[in-house]
Amino acid sequence: LNLNGKVISILGDSLSTYLGYIPTGNATYYPSSNNDIGAVEQTWWMQLITESNAILGINNSYSGAKVSGNADSAYIKRATNLGNPDYIIIHGGTNDIWQNVTVGSLHFGLTEESLNINEFADSYDLLVRKCKSLYPHANIILVIPHVISAEYTTVINEIAKHYNLFGVVDLHNCSFVLSNGHYQVVDMSTVAEAVAKTLYVNKNVLYEEGKSLIENEVKECFRIIENEEFLKAIVDSDDKV
């Protein structure tokens, strides 16, 4: 996977923090004596960025943060500070499920002002609406934590489908070791690989009209020819139509 310098911004909770790499004032978890993460290079997001030749935009993660609610740490509050990303990766919902936030139901037809930010469904919907509005050219990836319920998972998948988002990474399909409920080094690699897989599969598909993410080296393998026998044909490097 080679993103050729594309900018990735992160919006997460403690699982995506690291001291010195998140905005000043945001609560951090890593590094922690409870876990074996001892360097930022071991975090899932830095592994992903390094291995995909991308650039870190802003990692606006906050330990203990919920998607729901109106606290200063809430995802919707931090979504306004993600820089100018090509990709936004949202990893959230763990603290909502741990704090028994009501799932609620989705109301795509309601205005933002009418959504219930104290319920998971409406608050996640509002979060994505804000991200799409603030960063119209960014590709949004939603990471589904392995600890959340089937109901929470359905909400995230339905939001991704409704807004035709770039991708969803369901971590229920992965195995984790964990310590104190948080990722260990091996878990960080698991998450990085899962996100990278979604990026690799979808990186040549862009839902923003008028733009393309097809790699230059792919485009260079083709050329367009025209003559009197046919209007247009696309041939490969072997002159095969």
Side-chain angles (χ1 to χ4, degrees), residues 69-196:
N70 62 355
D72 289 340
S73 62
Y75 278 59
I76 189 65
K77 296 284 187 70
R78 291 178 286 119
T80 59
N81 181 22
L82 294 176
N84 185 28
D86 296 297
Y87 295 91
I88 297 173
I89 303 177
I90 301 175
H91 188 327
T94 298
N95 290 301
D96 297 86
I97 197 72
W98 281 356
Q99 297 182 40
N100 300 310
V101 173
T102 301
V103 179
S105 56
L106 290 165
H107 304 96
F108 294 127
L110 293 182
T111 63
E112 292 184 3
E113 295 74 21
S114 299
L115 297 176
N116 185 354
I117 62 173
N118 293 312
E119 294 184 347
F120 184 75
D122 273 357
S123 59
Y124 208 117
D125 179 14
L126 180 58
L127 170 63
V128 170
R129 293 193 200 187
K130 287 292 187 183
C131 286
K132 285 175 60 63
S133 175
L134 291 167
Y135 315 101
H137 300 302
N139 298 288
I140 301 174
I141 297 174
L142 308 181
V143 178
I144 300 176
H146 73 287
V147 298
I148 68 172
S149 65
E151 291 78 12
Y152 272 42
T153 299
T154 297
V155 164
I156 295 175
N157 279 320
E158 289 186 1
I159 289 173
K161 181 178 180 180
H162 179 80
Y163 294 110
N164 201 25
L165 300 185
F166 183 85
V168 176
V169 182
D170 192 343
L171 298 180
H172 285 107
N173 302 320
C174 304
S175 298
F176 292 93
V177 177
L178 305 180
S179 176
N180 195 39
H182 289 73
Y183 297 149
Q184 294 280 68
V185 171
V186 65
D187 302 318
M188 290 288 191
S189 295
T190 296
V191 177
E193 291 171 6
V195 178

Side-chain angles (χ1 to χ4, degrees), residues 185-207:
V185 171
V186 65
D187 302 318
M188 290 288 191
S189 295
T190 296
V191 177
E193 291 171 6
V195 178
K197 181 178 180 180
T198 295
L199 277 168
Y200 180 77
V201 170
N202 296 345
K203 71 184 178 73
N204 288 336
V205 179
L206 186 64
Y207 302 117

